């Protein structure tokens, strides 16, 4: 009789994170069910607790992974914040679950050290560019970063009422509006 060979731990962990992404995007942390996540991942509840300590740990791990993945895919470019915003907008279009997960995190989450570290590095880069005169000092570095990133997410995070008013704006024009708004913000 063949012996059972368990899947590698990183494969199980990855499947759980993928299943959690869909579940948390739909229901948030409070409404998500560990049983559904485990079933969708072809695993069981015990694995969720083993790898993540529970549902909250799984949500936190997913959010940290999401933020670090986006930071790697769309690195901050202080020499071209408008282009950065356009690329970030593109990432949200390609991965529409990210803004929704971000909304759930804002509603239900707490600051996570790993995410704060990513944000702190970006703020430091903007502050350095401001000190060098490459970016205006109109806004504090953290505020400028927040404005740029929120402009990039404008179309993805618009309320249904706002979206209805601008639905005729074509996709390429949406991206260009983000780029133009950030360029105006930084005086480029």
């Amino acid at each position: 009789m063949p012996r059972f060979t368990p899947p590698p731990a990183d494969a199980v962990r990855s499947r759980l994170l993928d299943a959690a992404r869909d579940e948390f995007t739909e229901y948030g942390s409070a409404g998500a069910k560990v049983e559904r996540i485990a079933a969708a991942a072809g695993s069981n509840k015990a694995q969720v607790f083993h790898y993540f300590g529970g549902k909250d740990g799984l949500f936190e791990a997913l959010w940290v992974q999401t933020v670090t993945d986006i930071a790697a895919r769309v690195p901050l470019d202080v020499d071209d914040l408008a282009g950065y915003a356009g690329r970030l907008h593109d990432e949200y279009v390609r991965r529409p679950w990210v803004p929704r997960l971000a909304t759930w995190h804002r509603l239900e989450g707490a600051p996570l050290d790993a995410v704060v570290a990513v944000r702190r590095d970006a703020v430091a880069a903007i502050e350095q560019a401001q000190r060098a005169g490459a970016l205006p000092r109109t806004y504090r570095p953290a505020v400028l970063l927040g404005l740029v990133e929120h402009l990039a997410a404008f179309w993805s995070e618009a309320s249904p009422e706002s979206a209805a008013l601008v639905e005729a704006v074509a996709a390429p024009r949406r991206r260009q509006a983000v780029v133009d708004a950030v360029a105006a913000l930084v005086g480029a």
Side-chain angles (χ1 to χ4, degrees):
M1 171 180 263
R3 294 180 55 178
F4 172 73
T5 304
D10 56 341
V12 173
R13 188 177 193 284
S14 179
R15 286 196 322 267
L16 287 167
L17 284 165
D18 287 345
R21 180 194 69 209
D22 296 339
E23 181 77 6
F24 288 133
T25 298
E26 182 70 24
Y27 301 104
S29 183
K33 300 290 183 201
V34 173
E35 295 83 1
R36 286 192 301 244
I37 294 169
S43 188
N44 58 56
K45 284 174 51 172
Q47 295 292 29
V48 171
F49 287 90
H50 171 73
Y51 288 109
F52 304 101
K55 183 170 68 168
D56 291 342
L58 178 56
F59 185 80
E60 290 175 4
L62 176 63
W63 184 241
V64 168
Q65 175 186 314
T66 300
V67 170
T68 54
D69 185 45
I70 288 175
R73 287 175 179 263
V74 185
L76 177 66
D77 182 354
V78 295
D79 295 323
D80 183 16
L81 283 181
Y84 165 71
R87 290 185 298 280
L88 194 55
H89 162 82
D90 295 344
E91 189 67 14
Y92 294 152
V93 169
R94 275 192 297 277
R95 300 167 76 192
W97 57 269
V98 171
R100 188 170 171 111
L101 190 63
T103 298
W104 283 117
H105 177 66
R106 278 193 308 277
L107 293 171
E108 301 176 337
L112 301 174
D113 291 340
V115 175
V116 170
V118 170
R119 309 290 302 152
R120 193 173 284 127
D121 290 346
V123 168
I126 288 176
E127 182 177 17
Q128 185 176 6
Q130 286 177 323
R131 286 184 179 170
L135 288 174
R137 291 178 167 234
T138 311
Y139 302 100
R140 294 178 59 183
V143 173
L144 180 56
L145 178 64
L147 289 169
V148 169
E149 291 180 343
H150 283 283
L151 284 168
F154 172 74
W155 300 103
S156 305
E157 295 180 348
S159 69
E161 297 79 13
S162 295
L165 297 173
V166 293
E167 67 187 354
V169 179
R173 182 64 192 123
R174 290 178 180 211
R175 184 190 200 281
Q176 192 60 50
V178 166
V179 171
D180 292 347
V182 173
L185 180 68
V186 298

